Amino acid sequence: EKRGFAYDDFEWMNTNRWTVSSSGGTWNVNSGNLIQTDSVNDNSNIYASLNGNLSDVYIYDFTAKIEGTASNKRFGFHFACDSASLTNRGNSYFIYFRPASQQLEFYKVINNTYTQTKVVTGVLTSLGMYYRFRIVHNRISGLIEVYRDDVLLSSWTDTSPLTTSSKYYSFRTG
């Protein structure tokens, strides 16, 4: 994590690595999966530290699925966060997948206030299905690419990339 690389296969909940913020949801590990079970929480947050200032490009690669009974199911991932315990992770970027509206959404957060920067429609996300996600972030050029199952879904370039210190990454559900 201090050298700009992190890996977790979730054989157990490593509380030395992962922190659940206050009101961050109910997170557990079961059969090699990190699971958030609080369907009422509209901004869950589990985060880990990562020095994101050592290289120009960072790749976040993970497998995830969306389940639940709430009507507004969504899954998100924050990266390049400078303060992960805050509701919108201080200064950061995040992406959201919304199955009901078939959207992929890009966001930029400045001073804990988010702005939606791009919406991609027609992104079918089936409930209960595992997908492999890969987010590629070039912190110098501002390019963010989102892949799912090795297919580029979309990209967005921040023409004024964040210059705050990148210290964390975080999963977010709703």
Side-chain angles (χ1 to χ4, degrees), residues 48-83:
S49 64
L50 178 72
N51 184 348
N53 303 299
L54 300 173
S55 182
D56 292 355
V57 178
Y58 285 83
I59 300 171
Y60 304 93
D61 192 314
F62 54 90
T63 302
K65 70 176 175 176
I66 301 172
E67 293 183 320
T69 57
S71 60
N72 189 18
K73 294 176 217 39
R74 59 197 184 276
F75 164 76
F77 180 72
H78 280 265
F79 52 97
C81 310
D82 69 347
S83 185

PDB file of all heavy atoms in Angstrom, residues 48-83:
ATOM      1  N   ALA A  48      -9.384   1.603   2.078  1.00  0.00           N
ATOM      2  CA  ALA A  48      -8.037   1.153   2.407  1.00  0.00           C
ATOM      3  C   ALA A  48      -7.048   2.198   1.910  1.00  0.00           C
ATOM      4  O   ALA A  48      -7.330   2.951   0.973  1.00  0.00           O
ATOM      5  CB  ALA A  48      -7.742  -0.202   1.761  1.00  0.00           C
ATOM      6  N   SER A  49      -5.898   2.225   2.553  1.00  0.00           N
ATOM      7  CA  SER A  49      -4.882   3.197   2.142  1.00  0.00           C
ATOM      8  C   SER A  49      -4.114   2.687   0.927  1.00  0.00           C
ATOM      9  O   SER A  49      -3.970   1.483   0.715  1.00  0.00           O
ATOM     10  CB  SER A  49      -3.922   3.489   3.295  1.00  0.00           C
ATOM     11  OG  SER A  49      -3.206   2.330   3.646  1.00  0.00           O
ATOM     12  N   LEU A  50      -3.673   3.630   0.131  1.00  0.00           N
ATOM     13  CA  LEU A  50      -2.851   3.336  -1.040  1.00  0.00           C
ATOM     14  C   LEU A  50      -2.130   4.617  -1.427  1.00  0.00           C
ATOM     15  O   LEU A  50      -2.775   5.650  -1.651  1.00  0.00           O
ATOM     16  CB  LEU A  50      -3.708   2.860  -2.220  1.00  0.00           C
ATOM     17  CG  LEU A  50      -2.933   2.581  -3.509  1.00  0.00           C
ATOM     18  CD1 LEU A  50      -2.112   1.307  -3.376  1.00  0.00           C
ATOM     19  CD2 LEU A  50      -3.868   2.472  -4.687  1.00  0.00           C
ATOM     20  N   ASN A  51      -0.828   4.549  -1.497  1.00  0.00           N
ATOM     21  CA  ASN A  51      -0.054   5.703  -1.928  1.00  0.00           C
ATOM     22  C   ASN A  51      -0.216   5.839  -3.435  1.00  0.00           C
ATOM     23  O   ASN A  51       0.373   5.091  -4.200  1.00  0.00           O
ATOM     24  CB  ASN A  51       1.415   5.551  -1.546  1.00  0.00           C
ATOM     25  CG  ASN A  51       2.231   6.787  -1.889  1.00  0.00           C
ATOM     26  OD1 ASN A  51       1.768   7.675  -2.603  1.00  0.00           O
ATOM     27  ND2 ASN A  51       3.439   6.845  -1.378  1.00  0.00           N
ATOM     28  N   GLY A  52      -1.013   6.789  -3.854  1.00  0.00           N
ATOM     29  CA  GLY A  52      -1.292   6.993  -5.270  1.00  0.00           C
ATOM     30  C   GLY A  52      -0.522   8.150  -5.867  1.00  0.00           C
ATOM     31  O   GLY A  52      -1.003   8.809  -6.783  1.00  0.00           O
ATOM     32  N   ASN A  53       0.671   8.405  -5.337  1.00  0.00           N
ATOM     33  CA  ASN A  53       1.480   9.519  -5.796  1.00  0.00           C
ATOM     34  C   ASN A  53       2.826   9.077  -6.356  1.00  0.00           C
ATOM     35  O   ASN A  53       3.686   9.914  -6.617  1.00  0.00           O
ATOM     36  CB  ASN A  53       1.719  10.498  -4.641  1.00  0.00           C
ATOM     37  CG  ASN A  53       0.423  10.988  -4.053  1.00  0.00           C
ATOM     38  OD1 ASN A  53      -0.372  11.598  -4.739  1.00  0.00           O
ATOM     39  ND2 ASN A  53       0.190  10.681  -2.789  1.00  0.00           N
ATOM     40  N   LEU A  54       3.018   7.781  -6.544  1.00  0.00           N
ATOM     41  CA  LEU A  54       4.318   7.261  -6.948  1.00  0.00           C
ATOM     42  C   LEU A  54       4.460   7.061  -8.447  1.00  0.00           C
ATOM     43  O   LEU A  54       5.564   7.049  -8.976  1.00  0.00           O
ATOM     44  CB  LEU A  54       4.589   5.922  -6.244  1.00  0.00           C
ATOM     45  CG  LEU A  54       4.605   5.982  -4.715  1.00  0.00           C
ATOM     46  CD1 LEU A  54       4.716   4.588  -4.133  1.00  0.00           C
ATOM     47  CD2 LEU A  54       5.737   6.860  -4.238  1.00  0.00           C
ATOM     48  N   SER A  55       3.353   6.871  -9.131  1.00  0.00           N
ATOM     49  CA  SER A  55       3.369   6.558 -10.552  1.00  0.00           C
ATOM     50  C   SER A  55       2.370   7.460 -11.269  1.00  0.00           C
ATOM     51  O   SER A  55       1.518   8.077 -10.636  1.00  0.00           O
ATOM     52  CB  SER A  55       2.998   5.087 -10.755  1.00  0.00           C
ATOM     53  OG  SER A  55       3.041   4.739 -12.112  1.00  0.00           O
ATOM     54  N   ASP A  56       2.457   7.513 -12.582  1.00  0.00           N
ATOM     55  CA  ASP A  56       1.508   8.310 -13.355  1.00  0.00           C
ATOM     56  C   ASP A  56       0.176   7.593 -13.513  1.00  0.00           C
ATOM     57  O   ASP A  56      -0.874   8.223 -13.537  1.00  0.00           O
ATOM     58  CB  ASP A  56       2.060   8.615 -14.748  1.00  0.00           C
ATOM     59  CG  ASP A  56       3.254   9.553 -14.708  1.00  0.00           C
ATOM     60  OD1 ASP A  56       3.606  10.047 -13.610  1.00  0.00           O
ATOM     61  OD2 ASP A  56       3.843   9.792 -15.779  1.00  0.00           O
ATOM     62  N   VAL A  57       0.210   6.256 -13.639  1.00  0.00           N
ATOM     63  CA  VAL A  57      -0.990   5.485 -13.943  1.00  0.00           C
ATOM     64  C   VAL A  57      -1.230   4.441 -12.857  1.00  0.00           C
ATOM     65  O   VAL A  57      -0.314   3.733 -12.450  1.00  0.00           O
ATOM     66  CB  VAL A  57      -0.872   4.781 -15.318  1.00  0.00           C
ATOM     67  CG1 VAL A  57      -2.108   3.947 -15.606  1.00  0.00           C
ATOM     68  CG2 VAL A  57      -0.636   5.801 -16.426  1.00  0.00           C
ATOM     69  N   TYR A  58      -2.491   4.349 -12.424  1.00  0.00           N
ATOM     70  CA  TYR A  58      -2.905   3.341 -11.451  1.00  0.00           C
ATOM     71  C   TYR A  58      -4.030   2.518 -12.052  1.00  0.00           C
ATOM     72  O   TYR A  58      -4.914   3.041 -12.735  1.00  0.00           O
ATOM     73  CB  TYR A  58      -3.362   3.996 -10.137  1.00  0.00           C
ATOM     74  CG  TYR A  58      -2.168   4.483  -9.362  1.00  0.00           C
ATOM     75  CD1 TYR A  58      -1.584   5.707  -9.647  1.00  0.00           C
ATOM     76  CD2 TYR A  58      -1.590   3.685  -8.393  1.00  0.00           C
ATOM     77  CE1 TYR A  58      -0.450   6.130  -8.978  1.00  0.00           C
ATOM     78  CE2 TYR A  58      -0.458   4.094  -7.714  1.00  0.00           C
ATOM     79  CZ  TYR A  58       0.103   5.322  -8.017  1.00  0.00           C
ATOM     80  OH  TYR A  58       1.231   5.723  -7.356  1.00  0.00           O
ATOM     81  N   ILE A  59      -3.989   1.215 -11.785  1.00  0.00           N
ATOM     82  CA  ILE A  59      -5.009   0.293 -12.265  1.00  0.00           C
ATOM     83  C   ILE A  59      -5.687  -0.341 -11.056  1.00  0.00           C
ATOM     84  O   ILE A  59      -5.020  -0.925 -10.203  1.00  0.00           O
ATOM     85  CB  ILE A  59      -4.405  -0.801 -13.166  1.00  0.00           C
ATOM     86  CG1 ILE A  59      -3.719  -0.165 -14.380  1.00  0.00           C
ATOM     87  CG2 ILE A  59      -5.483  -1.795 -13.590  1.00  0.00           C
ATOM     88  CD1 ILE A  59      -2.913  -1.145 -15.205  1.00  0.00           C
ATOM     89  N   TYR A  60      -6.998  -0.209 -10.991  1.00  0.00           N
ATOM     90  CA  TYR A  60      -7.795  -0.823  -9.936  1.00  0.00           C
ATOM     91  C   TYR A  60      -8.569  -1.955 -10.596  1.00  0.00           C
ATOM     92  O   TYR A  60      -9.346  -1.728 -11.519  1.00  0.00           O
ATOM     93  CB  TYR A  60      -8.750   0.206  -9.325  1.00  0.00           C
ATOM     94  CG  TYR A  60      -8.025   1.425  -8.806  1.00  0.00           C
ATOM     95  CD1 TYR A  60      -7.854   2.550  -9.616  1.00  0.00           C
ATOM     96  CD2 TYR A  60      -7.494   1.447  -7.533  1.00  0.00           C
ATOM     97  CE1 TYR A  60      -7.180   3.675  -9.143  1.00  0.00           C
ATOM     98  CE2 TYR A  60      -6.820   2.554  -7.054  1.00  0.00           C
ATOM     99  CZ  TYR A  60      -6.667   3.665  -7.865  1.00  0.00           C
ATOM    100  OH  TYR A  60      -5.991   4.770  -7.405  1.00  0.00           O
ATOM    101  N   ASP A  61      -8.343  -3.177 -10.144  1.00  0.00           N
ATOM    102  CA  ASP A  61      -8.885  -4.363 -10.791  1.00  0.00           C
ATOM    103  C   ASP A  61      -9.578  -5.204  -9.731  1.00  0.00           C
ATOM    104  O   ASP A  61      -8.949  -5.605  -8.740  1.00  0.00           O
ATOM    105  CB  ASP A  61      -7.726  -5.136 -11.439  1.00  0.00           C
ATOM    106  CG  ASP A  61      -8.175  -6.228 -12.369  1.00  0.00           C
ATOM    107  OD1 ASP A  61      -9.087  -6.998 -12.004  1.00  0.00           O
ATOM    108  OD2 ASP A  61      -7.593  -6.326 -13.453  1.00  0.00           O
ATOM    109  N   PHE A  62     -10.871  -5.476  -9.908  1.00  0.00           N
ATOM    110  CA  PHE A  62     -11.619  -6.237  -8.913  1.00  0.00           C
ATOM    111  C   PHE A  62     -12.843  -6.873  -9.559  1.00  0.00           C
ATOM    112  O   PHE A  62     -13.263  -6.479 -10.649  1.00  0.00           O
ATOM    113  CB  PHE A  62     -12.040  -5.349  -7.735  1.00  0.00           C
ATOM    114  CG  PHE A  62     -12.796  -4.111  -8.146  1.00  0.00           C
ATOM    115  CD1 PHE A  62     -14.172  -4.118  -8.246  1.00  0.00           C
ATOM    116  CD2 PHE A  62     -12.111  -2.943  -8.440  1.00  0.00           C
ATOM    117  CE1 PHE A  62     -14.868  -2.983  -8.640  1.00  0.00           C
ATOM    118  CE2 PHE A  62     -12.789  -1.798  -8.821  1.00  0.00           C
ATOM    119  CZ  PHE A  62     -14.170  -1.819  -8.928  1.00  0.00           C
ATOM    120  N   THR A  63     -13.410  -7.837  -8.873  1.00  0.00           N
ATOM    121  CA  THR A  63     -14.631  -8.500  -9.307  1.00  0.00           C
ATOM    122  C   THR A  63     -15.742  -8.114  -8.345  1.00  0.00           C
ATOM    123  O   THR A  63     -15.523  -8.071  -7.130  1.00  0.00           O
ATOM    124  CB  THR A  63     -14.434 -10.027  -9.319  1.00  0.00           C
ATOM    125  OG1 THR A  63     -13.345 -10.338 -10.189  1.00  0.00           O
ATOM    126  CG2 THR A  63     -15.679 -10.741  -9.796  1.00  0.00           C
ATOM    127  N   ALA A  64     -16.931  -7.842  -8.884  1.00  0.00           N
ATOM    128  CA  ALA A  64     -18.046  -7.433  -8.033  1.00  0.00           C
ATOM    129  C   ALA A  64     -19.369  -7.797  -8.688  1.00  0.00           C
ATOM    130  O   ALA A  64     -19.438  -8.023  -9.900  1.00  0.00           O
ATOM    131  CB  ALA A  64     -17.998  -5.925  -7.786  1.00  0.00           C
ATOM    132  N   LYS A  65     -20.401  -7.861  -7.853  1.00  0.00           N
ATOM    133  CA  LYS A  65     -21.764  -8.037  -8.355  1.00  0.00           C
ATOM    134  C   LYS A  65     -22.693  -7.197  -7.500  1.00  0.00           C
ATOM    135  O   LYS A  65     -22.376  -6.835  -6.366  1.00  0.00           O
ATOM    136  CB  LYS A  65     -22.195  -9.498  -8.349  1.00  0.00           C
ATOM    137  CG  LYS A  65     -22.414 -10.105  -6.975  1.00  0.00           C
ATOM    138  CD  LYS A  65     -22.921 -11.528  -7.086  1.00  0.00           C
ATOM    139  CE  LYS A  65     -23.018 -12.183  -5.714  1.00  0.00           C
ATOM    140  NZ  LYS A  65     -23.598 -13.515  -5.793  1.00  0.00           N
ATOM    141  N   ILE A  66     -23.854  -6.886  -8.061  1.00  0.00           N
ATOM    142  CA  ILE A  66     -24.857  -6.087  -7.364  1.00  0.00           C
ATOM    143  C   ILE A  66     -26.055  -6.980  -7.068  1.00  0.00           C
ATOM    144  O   ILE A  66     -26.563  -7.661  -7.960  1.00  0.00           O
ATOM    145  CB  ILE A  66     -25.300  -4.889  -8.218  1.00  0.00           C
ATOM    146  CG1 ILE A  66     -24.105  -3.992  -8.547  1.00  0.00           C
ATOM    147  CG2 ILE A  66     -26.389  -4.087  -7.494  1.00  0.00           C
ATOM    148  CD1 ILE A  66     -24.427  -2.905  -9.549  1.00  0.00           C
ATOM    149  N   GLU A  67     -26.472  -6.968  -5.803  1.00  0.00           N
ATOM    150  CA  GLU A  67     -27.665  -7.697  -5.380  1.00  0.00           C
ATOM    151  C   GLU A  67     -28.451  -6.788  -4.451  1.00  0.00           C
ATOM    152  O   GLU A  67     -28.034  -5.671  -4.174  1.00  0.00           O
ATOM    153  CB  GLU A  67     -27.280  -8.977  -4.637  1.00  0.00           C
ATOM    154  CG  GLU A  67     -26.617 -10.008  -5.498  1.00  0.00           C
ATOM    155  CD  GLU A  67     -26.317 -11.278  -4.725  1.00  0.00           C
ATOM    156  OE1 GLU A  67     -25.898 -11.207  -3.562  1.00  0.00           O
ATOM    157  OE2 GLU A  67     -26.504 -12.342  -5.309  1.00  0.00           O
ATOM    158  N   GLY A  68     -29.543  -7.277  -3.931  1.00  0.00           N
ATOM    159  CA  GLY A  68     -30.283  -6.533  -2.930  1.00  0.00           C
ATOM    160  C   GLY A  68     -31.742  -6.373  -3.277  1.00  0.00           C
ATOM    161  O   GLY A  68     -32.193  -6.759  -4.350  1.00  0.00           O
ATOM    162  N   THR A  69     -32.464  -5.766  -2.340  1.00  0.00           N
ATOM    163  CA  THR A  69     -33.899  -5.604  -2.496  1.00  0.00           C
ATOM    164  C   THR A  69     -34.317  -4.151  -2.649  1.00  0.00           C
ATOM    165  O   THR A  69     -35.443  -3.884  -3.020  1.00  0.00           O
ATOM    166  CB  THR A  69     -34.629  -6.194  -1.271  1.00  0.00           C
ATOM    167  OG1 THR A  69     -34.144  -5.545  -0.089  1.00  0.00           O
ATOM    168  CG2 THR A  69     -34.393  -7.694  -1.172  1.00  0.00           C
ATOM    169  N   ALA A  70     -33.437  -3.210  -2.376  1.00  0.00           N
ATOM    170  CA  ALA A  70     -33.786  -1.788  -2.486  1.00  0.00           C
ATOM    171  C   ALA A  70     -34.037  -1.423  -3.947  1.00  0.00           C
ATOM    172  O   ALA A  70     -33.513  -2.062  -4.865  1.00  0.00           O
ATOM    173  CB  ALA A  70     -32.670  -0.936  -1.903  1.00  0.00           C
ATOM    174  N   SER A  71     -34.834  -0.397  -4.172  1.00  0.00           N
ATOM    175  CA  SER A  71     -35.202  -0.022  -5.544  1.00  0.00           C
ATOM    176  C   SER A  71     -34.079   0.708  -6.281  1.00  0.00           C
ATOM    177  O   SER A  71     -33.988   0.624  -7.494  1.00  0.00           O
ATOM    178  CB  SER A  71     -36.455   0.843  -5.523  1.00  0.00           C
ATOM    179  OG  SER A  71     -36.208   2.020  -4.776  1.00  0.00           O
ATOM    180  N   ASN A  72     -33.220   1.422  -5.564  1.00  0.00           N
ATOM    181  CA  ASN A  72     -32.174   2.221  -6.193  1.00  0.00           C
ATOM    182  C   ASN A  72     -30.804   1.559  -6.009  1.00  0.00           C
ATOM    183  O   ASN A  72     -29.887   2.142  -5.429  1.00  0.00           O
ATOM    184  CB  ASN A  72     -32.170   3.640  -5.615  1.00  0.00           C
ATOM    185  CG  ASN A  72     -31.253   4.567  -6.383  1.00  0.00           C
ATOM    186  OD1 ASN A  72     -30.867   4.281  -7.508  1.00  0.00           O
ATOM    187  ND2 ASN A  72     -30.898   5.669  -5.760  1.00  0.00           N
ATOM    188  N   LYS A  73     -30.688   0.335  -6.497  1.00  0.00           N
ATOM    189  CA  LYS A  73     -29.429  -0.401  -6.344  1.00  0.00           C
ATOM    190  C   LYS A  73     -28.347   0.258  -7.188  1.00  0.00           C
ATOM    191  O   LYS A  73     -28.571   0.617  -8.339  1.00  0.00           O
ATOM    192  CB  LYS A  73     -29.595  -1.849  -6.786  1.00  0.00           C
ATOM    193  CG  LYS A  73     -30.519  -2.656  -5.930  1.00  0.00           C
ATOM    194  CD  LYS A  73     -30.663  -4.030  -6.539  1.00  0.00           C
ATOM    195  CE  LYS A  73     -32.005  -4.639  -6.435  1.00  0.00           C
ATOM    196  NZ  LYS A  73     -33.161  -3.850  -6.607  1.00  0.00           N
ATOM    197  N   ARG A  74     -27.152   0.387  -6.587  1.00  0.00           N
ATOM    198  CA  ARG A  74     -26.022   0.941  -7.315  1.00  0.00           C
ATOM    199  C   ARG A  74     -24.723   0.505  -6.650  1.00  0.00           C
ATOM    200  O   ARG A  74     -24.707   0.133  -5.490  1.00  0.00           O
ATOM    201  CB  ARG A  74     -26.119   2.459  -7.398  1.00  0.00           C
ATOM    202  CG  ARG A  74     -26.160   3.151  -6.061  1.00  0.00           C
ATOM    203  CD  ARG A  74     -26.674   4.579  -6.205  1.00  0.00           C
ATOM    204  NE  ARG A  74     -26.645   5.302  -4.962  1.00  0.00           N
ATOM    205  CZ  ARG A  74     -27.584   5.264  -4.028  1.00  0.00           C
ATOM    206  NH1 ARG A  74     -28.640   4.496  -4.197  1.00  0.00           N
ATOM    207  NH2 ARG A  74     -27.479   5.964  -2.927  1.00  0.00           N
ATOM    208  N   PHE A  75     -23.681   0.582  -7.431  1.00  0.00           N
ATOM    209  CA  PHE A  75     -22.363   0.181  -6.960  1.00  0.00           C
ATOM    210  C   PHE A  75     -21.351   1.208  -7.432  1.00  0.00           C
ATOM    211  O   PHE A  75     -21.371   1.617  -8.593  1.00  0.00           O
ATOM    212  CB  PHE A  75     -22.014  -1.205  -7.528  1.00  0.00           C
ATOM    213  CG  PHE A  75     -20.553  -1.528  -7.405  1.00  0.00           C
ATOM    214  CD1 PHE A  75     -20.021  -1.903  -6.184  1.00  0.00           C
ATOM    215  CD2 PHE A  75     -19.717  -1.451  -8.501  1.00  0.00           C
ATOM    216  CE1 PHE A  75     -18.676  -2.190  -6.071  1.00  0.00           C
ATOM    217  CE2 PHE A  75     -18.374  -1.745  -8.391  1.00  0.00           C
ATOM    218  CZ  PHE A  75     -17.850  -2.117  -7.170  1.00  0.00           C
ATOM    219  N   GLY A  76     -20.484   1.633  -6.527  1.00  0.00           N
ATOM    220  CA  GLY A  76     -19.496   2.629  -6.904  1.00  0.00           C
ATOM    221  C   GLY A  76     -18.126   2.342  -6.341  1.00  0.00           C
ATOM    222  O   GLY A  76     -17.949   1.536  -5.429  1.00  0.00           O
ATOM    223  N   PHE A  77     -17.169   3.048  -6.916  1.00  0.00           N
ATOM    224  CA  PHE A  77     -15.781   2.897  -6.505  1.00  0.00           C
ATOM    225  C   PHE A  77     -15.104   4.264  -6.546  1.00  0.00           C
ATOM    226  O   PHE A  77     -15.091   4.933  -7.578  1.00  0.00           O
ATOM    227  CB  PHE A  77     -15.060   1.928  -7.452  1.00  0.00           C
ATOM    228  CG  PHE A  77     -13.631   1.691  -7.113  1.00  0.00           C
ATOM    229  CD1 PHE A  77     -13.283   0.933  -6.017  1.00  0.00           C
ATOM    230  CD2 PHE A  77     -12.624   2.240  -7.902  1.00  0.00           C
ATOM    231  CE1 PHE A  77     -11.947   0.721  -5.699  1.00  0.00           C
ATOM    232  CE2 PHE A  77     -11.284   2.032  -7.592  1.00  0.00           C
ATOM    233  CZ  PHE A  77     -10.954   1.267  -6.488  1.00  0.00           C
ATOM    234  N   HIS A  78     -14.575   4.688  -5.389  1.00  0.00           N
ATOM    235  CA  HIS A  78     -13.809   5.933  -5.280  1.00  0.00           C
ATOM    236  C   HIS A  78     -12.324   5.606  -5.402  1.00  0.00           C
ATOM    237  O   HIS A  78     -11.861   4.599  -4.870  1.00  0.00           O
ATOM    238  CB  HIS A  78     -14.013   6.569  -3.906  1.00  0.00           C
ATOM    239  CG  HIS A  78     -15.270   7.333  -3.752  1.00  0.00           C
ATOM    240  ND1 HIS A  78     -15.352   8.690  -3.949  1.00  0.00           N
ATOM    241  CD2 HIS A  78     -16.514   6.942  -3.389  1.00  0.00           C
ATOM    242  CE1 HIS A  78     -16.581   9.102  -3.704  1.00  0.00           C
ATOM    243  NE2 HIS A  78     -17.301   8.060  -3.370  1.00  0.00           N
ATOM    244  N   PHE A  79     -11.580   6.502  -6.033  1.00  0.00           N
ATOM    245  CA  PHE A  79     -10.124   6.343  -6.126  1.00  0.00           C
ATOM    246  C   PHE A  79      -9.467   7.712  -6.109  1.00  0.00           C
ATOM    247  O   PHE A  79     -10.133   8.734  -6.310  1.00  0.00           O
ATOM    248  CB  PHE A  79      -9.731   5.531  -7.355  1.00  0.00           C
ATOM    249  CG  PHE A  79     -10.317   6.041  -8.643  1.00  0.00           C
ATOM    250  CD1 PHE A  79      -9.582   6.868  -9.478  1.00  0.00           C
ATOM    251  CD2 PHE A  79     -11.602   5.694  -9.016  1.00  0.00           C
ATOM    252  CE1 PHE A  79     -10.126   7.335 -10.660  1.00  0.00           C
ATOM    253  CE2 PHE A  79     -12.151   6.160 -10.202  1.00  0.00           C
ATOM    254  CZ  PHE A  79     -11.416   6.985 -11.031  1.00  0.00           C
ATOM    255  N   ALA A  80      -8.170   7.721  -5.819  1.00  0.00           N
ATOM    256  CA  ALA A  80      -7.400   8.960  -5.672  1.00  0.00           C
ATOM    257  C   ALA A  80      -7.994   9.840  -4.574  1.00  0.00           C
ATOM    258  O   ALA A  80      -8.008  11.062  -4.674  1.00  0.00           O
ATOM    259  CB  ALA A  80      -7.296   9.710  -6.995  1.00  0.00           C
ATOM    260  N   CYS A  81      -8.457   9.218  -3.509  1.00  0.00           N
ATOM    261  CA  CYS A  81      -9.088   9.936  -2.394  1.00  0.00           C
ATOM    262  C   CYS A  81      -8.013  10.521  -1.481  1.00  0.00           C
ATOM    263  O   CYS A  81      -7.027   9.867  -1.185  1.00  0.00           O
ATOM    264  CB  CYS A  81      -9.929   8.992  -1.540  1.00  0.00           C
ATOM    265  SG  CYS A  81     -11.077   7.949  -2.427  1.00  0.00           S
ATOM    266  N   ASP A  82      -8.272  11.720  -0.990  1.00  0.00           N
ATOM    267  CA  ASP A  82      -7.346  12.285  -0.009  1.00  0.00           C
ATOM    268  C   ASP A  82      -7.877  12.177   1.419  1.00  0.00           C
ATOM    269  O   ASP A  82      -7.134  12.333   2.369  1.00  0.00           O
ATOM    270  CB  ASP A  82      -6.968  13.728  -0.350  1.00  0.00           C
ATOM    271  CG  ASP A  82      -8.103  14.726  -0.181  1.00  0.00           C
ATOM    272  OD1 ASP A  82      -9.266  14.317  -0.036  1.00  0.00           O
ATOM    273  OD2 ASP A  82      -7.804  15.939  -0.213  1.00  0.00           O
ATOM    274  N   SER A  83      -9.174  11.882   1.590  1.00  0.00           N
ATOM    275  CA  SER A  83      -9.750  11.766   2.926  1.00  0.00           C
ATOM    276  C   SER A  83     -10.918  10.791   2.873  1.00  0.00           C
ATOM    277  O   SER A  83     -12.076  11.190   2.776  1.00  0.00           O
ATOM    278  CB  SER A  83     -10.213  13.134   3.427  1.00  0.00           C
ATOM    279  OG  SER A  83     -10.671  13.032   4.755  1.00  0.00           O
TER     280      SER A  83
END
